[in-house]
Amino acid sequence: MKRLLNKRKTHMRDRNRTQLEQGEAIKDVDPIESSLENNLKRIKADMENSADLVVREVVLKKDTELQLGIIYLDGLVDDQKINDCISLIMEHSYLENVIEGDGFQSVFQKASMLGKQQILKKYSEVTKEILSGSSIIIVNGFPKAISGSSKGEKQRGIEEPSSQVVIRGPKDGFTESLSTNIALIRKRLKNPKLCVGMYTIGDVTNTDVALLYMEGRVNEEVLEKVKHRISHIQTEGIFESGNIEEFIEDRSFTLFPTINNTERPDSAAANLLEGRIVILVDGTPFCLIAPFTFFQSFQSPEDYYHRYDIATIFRFLRFFSFLASLLGTSVYVAATTYHPEMIPTPLLLSLAAQREGMPFPIVIEALLMELSIEILREAGIRMPRAVGQAVSIVGALILGEAAVQAGIVSPGMVIIVAFTAITSFITPAYNMAISIRMLRFVLVFFSAAIGLYGIAIILIFVIAHLCSMQSLGVPYMTPIAPFCVAAQKDTLFRFPIWSFQSQVNKNRMKVDEENQGHS
């Protein structure tokens, strides 16, 4: 008896599941009706009778059922385009042709001035197009609709990038418009091999995301991995490229970035040319670049606009600043606390005199100053642009001088912390600079605990961690670990650009020879 009851329950559950699936299938079809009145009621209900939903009904000829409705969202479309389209449809000579022939096809031809057109047959498609900024035309008596790309929302103009400023180089930057950003890259890469794939992500926001790559240059395994991860993103909303980054990165629990970002079209185009993938998100001027390696953090777009010798000097300066920013404070704390024999005697006597009467241990001084610098830096970013820079600079000077006069910190500590703070600004990749600033606190703690041995232990763990990381399957420390001789032309040094081109030609010849051999 119990077995029969379980069998009956299973049968009922399967039948309910089948009915649900059939209902969903019917709902997915969701065809547009022939009645214009019913269609407009349905659209208004789906849009919750929103105040910015505009519905314009046009009667093509009195005493007939030949009428149409134009639906769009106010502020997202170009009103002039829609008015011109209606005027063209209402022409007398055109109306006679409409009445005699296929009304829907005639309206479709005249609505071509709205831009890119497509015919819709489902309500879900109509709602999606309206929310995307398109205008919808529904002709009475036809179970389909016309979607016209009449977008005309207010957009920010193309301006100079604010996060990656260069002295020599292009001054245009990405905007919040996805189509504009794609065009800026197309402008630089006039090649049919540039492929653009479109995705819609976010159950609520329905954000447009573009995936760009160069066919024949991109690693196919990396490309498939990125496509798989993007297509499987499940979230309610995407508002910035950083949201996409968290979903597709290889490792979330790390201080170091594994995906780069930029708002410079020239930098994005150069990375595409090198076989990387660019991800553009509608609504943000920052694009993602993957895969990303550690040594790319010290490469600036300006390196390739100057002579190679000048670029090499600047690159060495960045590496030195990276080490100074990372180790400056911790080495000072370790040397003065555990290894005074490393400091020259005159300098050691001067530092000892400065610290006479100081109320706190040197590690507390270092942490107080580092924390103060970070607070001032953050305050300068959040303050209005007109006063933010002045607040951060003047605040640091006043705070440092007042702390020295009050006998809270020593002058030597102020100099070291200020120097390390300045050197952290030189790193071109802002996300890598943030990682260095956070790691600096860990090094200060360990240097205060066991001196230079603590710094050495942390550095060993950091290097091991970096060597174990990957960016979409590419080793993070490439081309040093694993070591690649050919790639050293653009790692620590920057060789002449013509040497890169000769290497590219050799690789292409090698690929062609291999293909001929296989054939």
Side-chain angles (χ1 to χ4, degrees):
M1 186 69 180
K2 188 175 181 180
R3 182 180 299 176
L4 290 175
L5 289 174
N6 292 335
K7 187 175 182 181
R8 180 177 177 82
K9 288 181 180 179
T10 303
H11 176 71
M12 293 293 294
R13 185 168 60 250
D14 293 340
R15 188 177 68 178
N16 293 337
R17 184 183 301 170
T18 303
Q19 291 176 352
L20 180 63
E21 292 175 352
Q22 291 176 352
E24 290 178 351
I26 294 174
K27 184 178 179 181
D28 289 340
V29 175
D30 200 17
I32 298 175
E33 299 182 28
S34 299
S35 171
L36 175 62
E37 182 180 0
N38 293 340
N39 288 330
L40 295 182
K41 288 181 179 179
R42 172 69 182 277
I43 293 173
K44 291 179 181 178
D46 290 344
M47 298 294 294
E48 303 292 341
N49 289 315
S50 180
D52 60 343
L53 180 67
V54 180
V55 178
R56 301 174 65 174
E57 297 185 51
V58 179
V59 179
L60 299 181
K61 190 173 180 64
K62 294 182 179 180
D63 302 328
T64 67
E65 295 183 353
L66 194 57
Q67 51 185 322
L68 58 86
I70 301 179
I71 309 100
Y72 57 89
L73 286 174
D74 188 26
L76 293 183
V77 300
D78 188 349
D79 293 330
Q80 187 61 43
K81 278 187 178 181
I82 295 177
N83 292 332
D84 293 343
C85 180
I86 293 176
S87 300
L88 189 61
I89 292 176
M90 293 297 293
E91 288 182 1
H92 178 72
S93 59
Y94 167 65
L95 291 178
E96 298 297 331
N97 296 332
V98 171
I99 296 171
E100 295 176 359
D102 185 351
F104 183 87
Q105 187 62 30
S106 300
V107 173
F108 182 82
Q109 293 175 357
K110 289 297 180 181
S112 61
M113 66 179 304
L114 291 177
K116 182 181 178 182
Q117 293 176 282
Q118 57 177 325
I119 296 178
L120 310 177
K121 297 183 179 181
K122 300 178 184 178
Y123 271 115
S124 58
E125 296 176 340
V126 170
T127 305
K128 180 180 178 181
E129 289 297 316
I130 293 175
L131 293 173
S132 298
S134 300
S135 54
I136 302 298
I137 301 177
I138 300 178
V139 183
N140 188 40
F142 297 91
K144 47 189 175 180
I146 302 171
S147 172
S149 178
S150 55
K151 295 181 180 180
E153 71 272 17
K154 300 297 182 182
Q155 298 180 0
R156 181 173 64 92
I158 299 175
E159 302 173 354
E160 183 177 359
S162 59
S163 62
Q164 295 174 314
V165 180
V166 297
I167 302 300
R168 180 178 181 179
K171 302 298 183 180
D172 57 340
F174 287 131
T175 69
E176 286 75 16
S177 172
L178 181 61
S179 58
T180 302
N181 295 342
I182 295 176
L184 288 173
I185 295 180
R186 286 279 189 191
K187 179 182 177 182
R188 289 168 168 81
L189 295 177
K190 303 179 181 69
N191 194 298
K193 294 293 185 180
L194 177 60
C195 302
V196 180
M198 297 299 298
Y199 298 85
T200 301
I201 305 176
D203 298 335
V204 177
T205 59
N206 291 307
T207 306
D208 293 327
V209 177
L211 180 71
L212 286 75
Y213 59 93
M214 290 289 291
E215 185 68 34
R217 292 176 180 264
V218 67
N219 186 308
E220 293 297 334
E221 294 182 2
V222 174
L223 179 61
E224 290 302 321
K225 188 175 294 186
V226 173
K227 287 182 176 180
H228 176 78
R229 294 182 182 181
I230 290 180
S231 60
H232 285 75
I233 293 177
Q234 298 293 332
T235 183
E236 290 187 343
I238 295 293
F239 299 99
E240 216 277 334
S241 57
N243 303 143
I244 300 288
E245 180 179 354
E246 291 192 34
F247 280 103
I248 67 174
E249 61 186 355
D250 283 0
R251 183 178 294 186
S252 300
F253 300 100
T254 178
L255 290 177
F256 298 94
T258 55
I259 295 178
N260 195 17
N261 63 80
T262 183
E263 58 176 333
R264 296 189 60 88
D266 58 328
S267 180
N271 279 275
L272 286 169
L273 204 60
E274 294 176 0
R276 296 184 180 88
I277 299 169
V278 171
I279 301 173
L280 299 171
V281 180
D282 191 26
T284 175
F286 287 89
C287 74
L288 301 179
I289 299 176
F292 176 65
T293 60
F294 176 78
F295 292 97
Q296 285 180 256
S297 303
F298 308 100
Q299 298 175 0
S300 171
E302 202 169 13
D303 289 350
Y304 306 95
Y305 306 141
H306 288 298
R307 283 177 50 85
Y308 67 95
D309 48 357
I310 299 175
T312 300
I313 293 173
F314 286 157
R315 193 166 291 182
F316 271 102
L317 184 63
R318 296 189 198 109
F319 279 109
F320 168 76
S321 299
F322 162 74
L323 294 176
S325 175
L326 181 65
L327 302 174
T329 307
S330 57
V331 169
Y332 178 79
V333 171
T336 54
T337 305
Y338 293 97
H339 313 283
E341 66 278 1
M342 297 177 58
I343 305 174
T345 303
L347 179 59
L348 181 61
L349 294 174
S350 175
L351 295 176
Q354 293 175 11
R355 287 202 46 78
E356 186 177 357
M358 291 292 140
F360 302 113
I362 192 169
V363 61
I364 302 299
E365 289 184 23
L367 293 176
L368 284 175
M369 289 303 300
E370 290 285 358
L371 188 61
S372 300
I373 289 293
E374 294 301 325
I375 292 174
L376 287 170
R377 193 198 308 254
E378 191 68 14
I381 295 174
R382 306 304 165 201
M383 292 287 288
R385 183 173 299 180
V387 297
Q389 188 174 4
V391 166
S392 59
I393 296 175
V394 176
L397 293 174
I398 295 176
L399 184 63
E401 184 179 358
V404 171
Q405 291 181 355
I408 298 176
V409 296
S410 60
M413 179 60 70
V414 173
I415 294 173
I416 293 296
V417 172
F419 178 72
T420 56
I422 293 172
T423 53
S424 64
F425 287 108
I426 298 181
T427 304
Y430 180 72
N431 46 6
M432 179 61 73
I434 296 176
S435 302
I436 297 170
R437 286 156 50 188
M438 290 189 290
L439 190 58
R440 190 189 305 159
F441 284 94
V442 179
L443 287 167
V444 169
F445 273 113
F446 275 79
S447 64
I450 51 178
L452 293 178
Y453 298 105
I455 298 176
I457 291 172
I458 294 300
L459 290 180
I460 290 173
F461 275 103
V462 169
I463 294 173
H465 174 69
L466 292 175
C467 292
S468 67
M469 290 173 57
Q470 290 185 341
S471 176
L472 297 173
V474 177
Y476 194 59
M477 294 300 289
T478 302
I480 299 297
F483 188 78
C484 177
V485 177
Q488 301 308 313
K489 294 181 178 181
D490 193 24
T491 306
L492 298 176
F493 302 88
R494 207 280 272 172
F495 277 49
I497 292 180
W498 56 261
S499 65
F500 302 158
Q501 189 63 36
S502 62
Q503 184 64 38
V504 171
N505 292 333
K506 289 179 181 178
N507 293 337
R508 288 180 180 175
M509 292 174 60
K510 185 177 179 181
V511 172
D512 293 340
E513 291 176 357
E514 292 178 353
N515 293 334
Q516 292 177 1
H518 291 312
S519 61

